[in-house]
Amino acid sequence: MKYEAVIGLEVHAQLLTDSKIFCSCSTQFGAPPNSHVCPVCLGMPGVLPVLNKQVVNFAMKMALATHCRINPFSVFARKNYFYPDLPKGYQISQYEHPLAEDGWVEIEINGGKKRIGIIRIHMEEDAGKLIHDPYKPVSYVDFNRTGVPLIEIVSKPDIRSPEEAVAYLKKLRSILRYLEICDGNMEEGSFRCDANVSVRPLGSEKFGTRTELKNMNSFKHVQRALAYEIERQISVLEEGDVVVQETRLWDEAKGVTRSMRGKEEAHDYRYFPDPDLVPVEIDSEWIEEIRQTLPELPDEKKERFIKEYQLPPYDAEVLTSSKELAHYFEAVVSACHNPKMASNWVMSELLGRLNQDKRDITECPIAPEALGELIQLITKGTISGKIGKTVFEEMYETGASATEIVKKKGLVQITDEGVLREIAQKIIETHPKEAEQYKAGKEKLLGFFVGQMMKETKGKANPQLANKIFKELLKG
Amino acid sequence: MKISRQEVAHVARLARLSFSEDEMELFTNQLNQILLYMEKLNEIDTQNIKPTYHALELTNVLREDKVGPSLPPERVLSNAPAENKDMFVVPRIIR
């Protein structure tokens, strides 16, 4: 039988505010343990949480960017459970009345477009961090993260494959980063994802029993964990067994998902409205104010790149995957006025080189204006494209400008026909056998002659001109 | 009966409370009486009345995103039954 997977994702994104959601403690990552806590985030009796306005603004930005409806009235609720990372015994979240509902994002999959629905986006506080002792049966608790603002983004079960799941996550992350409200760092946990997965016979409308997957700390983990879990559920069904509804942990080292025991009661959260916090009311004026602050988002930017710069959709997708990269590309274009060349150089040479060093575009040692200058030297014919690559490498290593390097190393292209003709004559004289063969019809040897010319001129000969001269000299 | 003994046992477990057989009997009866009394509220017609989410008729009590001082770690840990390197030490629970 053929099966299809049904996947829904819950994403938690840490918001880049300076202070926590309900108190004025700093949200700074990596501070000494328990140095950013106060009576409010410790859940001391008698304290009163007060909502950080920036959290609402940031959450609204994401809601608008993902086409959600922002509810005019939303309420914070207590999610009750006992766990050592939660000093109050409950997490302040939203339940019945979330900030926003019913949106979507578009992903690109197998050359086509697909919309993934969003059920809701709500605001909540993060929990503390537990470090388990590797030898003793104890854990250590650091409450610095307690109360760091999160938004939870819950997708509809519209996702059908691990590839779609990753594309959806990358899109969300890209939007969050464009909005500058989350740094999207999966390893540090500022962008986290849980997945609900089930399988059903292809064509069936009914959902199968689902499992919840946790502990996926990179896009690669998500991809592998989902692929594994889908296969596991299919083989359970094929053997005539039933899938057990449970939470499973991804074990990256072993490449399997494992059942997490003893969590059956955990889903009884007994939500109720938090009496410490008053409701949030959002009018259309506030929404419009936030809408005005939205930057050009990845989808819009991509469309513009295709139109304005005549780029293929794939190139436009790569170049707009982060705001910084898109910005870099546009700066190169305005320096060299050649979008096609700019795209080629950024996509292959620059990204390839950065990738080699595991560097981000923000850590690029070549300024966009400097790359634009290099491209101009090529388009003007001052240097050949091949020499351009050598110059690029030197620019990357030393930070010197293309013009400087070309001047210092004497790399200016030879375009003087007389000079090239002279060299060509000599090459033909020293290679009579090849010249003979060429004249006899082995035209492939033209490449050999041009190659000799490049060797002779250390790559500085203008290749088109070299081609033309050899053709003329070797004619008949 | 508004609440079963089984439900009381469940709620007790969620609250990490353990009771003797006699206590279970006692609390089930008491909770039942409380719930029966609260049942009176259902006699009122609330069809066209919006639910009350807060006793105060306030909304949008907000603060600016400004960092203020936190507590020194030694005060944070002053009530901790056990500590190590400025962290609380708890029995290990893997969820």
Side-chain angles (χ1 to χ4, degrees):
Chain A
M1 202 191 297
K2 277 273 219 182
Y3 289 89
E4 106 176 320
V6 177
I7 302 165
L9 296 179
E10 288 170 19
V11 168
H12 287 92
Q14 262 179 17
L15 298 178
L16 287 171
T17 55
D18 294 332
S19 65
K20 292 185 178 182
I21 181 170
F22 298 121
C23 65
S24 60
C25 287
S26 165
T27 56
Q28 191 205 326
F29 184 80
N34 292 306
S35 61
H36 289 166
V37 292
C38 73
V40 174
C41 50
L42 279 174
M44 292 293 176
V47 297
L48 209 53
V50 184
L51 179 60
N52 181 342
K53 186 175 183 187
Q54 190 74 312
V55 173
V56 188
N57 288 339
F58 283 0
M60 282 167 72
K61 281 189 186 206
M62 190 56 180
L64 291 173
T66 54
H67 315 96
C68 286
R69 180 185 76 239
I70 292 177
N71 289 326
F73 181 81
S74 79
V75 174
F76 283 98
R78 292 185 180 179
K79 177 178 179 176
N80 298 283
Y81 64 94
F82 281 127
Y83 202 60
D85 63 5
L86 199 68
K88 298 192 294 296
Y90 59 85
Q91 179 193 24
I92 304 177
S93 181
Q94 296 192 297
Y95 187 59
E96 256 188 297
H97 297 280
L99 177 88
E101 288 172 278
D102 205 16
W104 52 267
V105 293
E106 200 161 68
I107 59 165
E108 198 104 7
I109 202 87
N110 303 325
K113 285 180 175 171
K114 181 176 175 177
R115 269 189 192 186
I116 306 294
I118 288 172
I119 296 175
R120 56 189 274 146
I121 296 179
H122 70 247
M123 303 174 278
E124 63 184 28
E125 58 178 353
D126 207 344
K129 210 172 127 192
L130 287 178
I131 299 154
H132 303 297
D133 193 294
Y135 309 110
K136 287 181 278 181
V138 296
S139 301
Y140 306 100
V141 195
D142 173 6
F143 287 124
N144 280 348
R145 204 178 62 182
T146 305
V148 167
L150 296 176
I151 48 173
E152 180 173 331
I153 306 160
V154 184
S155 88
K156 288 186 182 153
D158 290 347
I159 299 162
R160 291 289 171 272
S161 69
E163 292 71 30
E164 285 184 18
V166 170
Y168 167 78
L169 288 174
K170 285 191 172 165
K171 183 47 76 70
L172 283 190
R173 182 171 174 271
S174 165
I175 296 171
L176 287 163
R177 288 168 54 108
Y178 263 70
L179 294 170
E180 294 175 356
I181 60 173
C182 171
D183 65 21
N185 190 327
M186 281 185 99
E187 283 78 23
E188 283 180 9
S190 53
F191 182 83
R192 315 195 278 267
C193 156
D194 299 335
N196 287 305
V197 193
S198 64
V199 297
R200 63 184 176 192
L202 195 62
S204 162
E205 290 288 308
K206 231 180 83 193
F207 292 131
T209 307
R210 66 184 157 85
T211 59
E212 190 184 355
L213 295 189
K214 284 181 180 285
N215 198 36
M216 302 170 290
N217 305 328
S218 72
F219 293 126
K220 199 185 89 197
H221 291 193
V222 172
Q223 165 102 27
R224 293 186 62 201
L226 285 171
Y228 175 88
E229 182 60 15
I230 291 164
E231 281 311 309
R232 187 191 70 84
Q233 291 189 12
I234 290 174
S235 27
V236 166
L237 295 180
E238 299 258 90
E239 279 160 28
D241 246 331
V242 287
V243 173
V244 180
Q245 184 169 342
E246 61 182 353
T247 301
R248 299 178 70 88
L249 281 187
W250 171 243
D251 184 335
E252 175 66 18
K254 296 198 176 78
V256 298
T257 61
R258 283 185 291 113
S259 173
M260 235 166 83
R261 283 170 302 269
K263 215 209 158 200
E264 318 86 58
E265 64 187 10
H267 275 302
D268 195 347
Y269 292 130
R270 293 148 296 146
Y271 284 96
F272 66 90
D274 192 323
D276 284 344
L277 288 152
V278 297
V280 179
E281 270 186 318
I282 298 171
D283 57 15
S284 51
E285 204 177 316
W286 192 356
I287 294 175
E288 275 321 302
E289 193 186 301
I290 295 300
R291 202 192 297 278
Q292 296 306 320
T293 68
L294 293 185
E296 186 180 37
L297 292 166
D299 285 350
E300 296 157 18
K301 210 183 265 297
K302 184 182 157 192
E303 285 311 308
R304 181 168 65 79
F305 275 24
I306 294 171
K307 261 200 214 134
E308 198 173 319
Y309 303 127
Q310 264 95 52
L311 296 181
Y314 175 77
D315 298 28
E317 172 90 22
V318 173
L319 292 171
T320 56
S321 60
S322 86
K323 182 142 89 175
E324 291 77 15
L325 181 58
H327 188 79
Y328 187 98
F329 166 74
E330 293 207 275
V332 176
V333 173
S334 59
C336 74
H337 312 290
N338 190 328
K340 187 69 212 151
M341 286 276 276
S343 157
N344 286 346
W345 276 85
V346 171
M347 299 245 315
S348 49
E349 297 305 319
L350 188 68
L351 289 183
R353 194 64 183 73
L354 289 171
N355 211 18
Q356 230 177 16
D357 290 354
K358 300 217 176 334
R359 274 176 163 171
D360 192 54
I361 188 73
T362 54
E363 303 154 305
C364 179
I366 302 177
E369 296 74 20
L371 184 58
E373 182 186 317
L374 170 65
I375 293 170
Q376 275 203 315
L377 289 179
I378 299 166
T379 50
K380 278 191 198 147
T382 310
I383 55 169
S384 67
K386 196 153 176 266
I387 293 283
K389 291 189 185 177
T390 319
V391 175
F392 172 85
E393 187 56 36
E394 176 120 9
M395 288 168 74
Y396 189 91
E397 291 297 339
T398 66
S401 86
T403 312
E404 273 165 38
I405 295 165
V406 167
K407 216 160 117 194
K408 199 179 70 196
K409 299 211 155 177
L411 297 171
V412 175
Q413 185 163 244
I414 306 168
T415 49
D416 184 325
E417 206 172 328
V419 174
L420 290 179
R421 196 174 286 272
E422 222 170 278
I423 300 169
Q425 284 286 10
K426 269 190 216 145
I427 291 170
I428 293 169
E429 276 163 30
T430 49
H431 296 91
K433 213 174 73 195
E434 286 81 1
E436 211 51 50
Q437 285 173 334
Y438 179 90
K439 285 178 188 167
K442 204 170 171 189
E443 288 184 6
K444 267 202 307 203
L445 280 172
L446 185 66
F448 164 78
F449 284 108
V450 175
Q452 290 299 314
M453 168 75 83
M454 288 302 174
K455 216 164 133 190
E456 209 53 46
T457 60
K458 298 197 173 70
K460 289 187 288 183
N462 177 308
Q464 287 81 26
L465 208 53
N467 259 304
K468 188 186 131 218
I469 291 167
F470 277 116
K471 271 189 192 162
E472 280 171 20
L473 290 175
L474 291 164
K475 206 165 23 179
Chain B
M1 289 290 266
K2 293 301 294 175
I3 190 166
S4 70
R5 205 186 149 98
Q6 214 181 353
E7 283 171 302
V8 176
H10 176 66
V11 173
R13 198 162 59 114
L14 289 173
R16 306 290 187 275
L17 296 172
S18 54
F19 296 128
S20 67
E21 282 299 305
D22 289 350
E23 284 171 326
M24 277 301 288
E25 191 66 40
L26 178 70
F27 292 138
T28 305
N29 279 329
Q30 287 183 350
L31 280 170
N32 204 40
Q33 277 165 29
I34 293 166
L35 289 168
L36 274 172
Y37 180 63
M38 295 305 280
E39 186 78 349
K40 263 195 179 311
L41 289 173
N42 283 341
E43 291 167 15
I44 305 162
D45 180 8
T46 54
Q47 268 232 307
N48 297 313
I49 295 170
K50 274 206 248 167
T52 304
Y53 286 97
H54 204 279
L56 301 173
E57 276 189 43
L58 279 173
T59 59
N60 298 1
V61 175
L62 302 162
R63 44 172 278 271
E64 294 301 315
D65 183 25
K66 290 253 164 57
V67 175
S70 299
L71 289 177
E74 59 273 18
R75 284 206 63 199
V76 173
L77 292 153
S78 58
N79 287 329
E83 61 175 284
N84 189 354
K85 297 195 175 95
D86 282 345
M87 288 189 277
F88 293 81
V89 181
V90 297
R92 184 165 178 171
I93 307 160
I94 307 266
R95 190 157 58 124

